[in-house]
Amino acid sequence: VQLQASGGGSVQPGGSLRLSCAASGSSSDYVAIGWFRQRPGAEREGVACINIKDGRIVYGHSVKGRVTISRDNAKNMVYLQMNSLDPEDTAVYYCASSRAERAWEYLTPYWYDYWGQGTLVTVSS
């Protein structure tokens, strides 16, 4: 599985961005796609994840209510719509795939196998 994240950029506080994750390879190779972020000096944390087969979604606590994850299985794409962005959201955002039938919901990096290269989101006035 190869993943490519895109859509990052610079935005002012309160603004929005939509990140995209393109997955190559067979969708049978993974159960879920997750978005993670790594802020400067911090550990990688889960933002949101979605089960590709049944659409179940889990959101991280720090972003709940401000982000929406969605999928387009026909295009092998997963999206992350982020609204009301805050400077604390500045980070490199990664998408990753998980083969774990249940543990994908934990939204922790340990359960995710393949990672994209990351896209930088900068929120600043």
Side-chain angles (χ1 to χ4, degrees), residues 17-90:
L17 278 176
R18 188 176 86 150
L19 306 184
S20 300
C21 178
S24 62
S26 173
S27 59
S28 63
D29 291 335
Y30 51 91
V31 172
I33 297 287
W35 283 99
F36 296 81
R37 69 183 183 184
Q38 190 157 17
R39 293 181 278 189
E43 294 185 353
R44 198 167 294 189
E45 65 172 321
V47 176
C49 55
I50 185 167
N51 186 297
I52 296 301
K53 302 182 190 318
D54 62 21
R56 281 180 293 153
I57 290 171
V58 175
Y59 290 107
H61 295 297
S62 62
V63 299
K64 204 167 186 178
R66 298 190 295 118
V67 304
T68 302
I69 189 171
S70 60
R71 76 196 198 283
D72 184 337
N73 286 355
K75 296 181 180 179
N76 285 347
M77 296 289 295
V78 172
Y79 305 99
L80 185 71
Q81 177 68 42
M82 303 191 295
N83 301 320
S84 303
L85 285 165
D86 182 89
E88 288 292 309
D89 296 315
T90 294

Side-chain angles (χ1 to χ4, degrees), residues 91-107:
V92 178
Y93 285 73
Y94 300 88
C95 60
S97 64
S98 175
R99 293 173 294 176
E101 289 291 335
R102 296 180 180 178
W104 65 271
E105 296 184 29
Y106 299 155
L107 196 54

Side-chain angles (χ1 to χ4, degrees), residues 6-11 17 19 85 91 119-124:
S6 62
S10 296
V11 63
L17 278 176
L19 306 184
L85 285 165
T119 184
L120 177 63
V121 172
T122 302
V123 184
S124 174

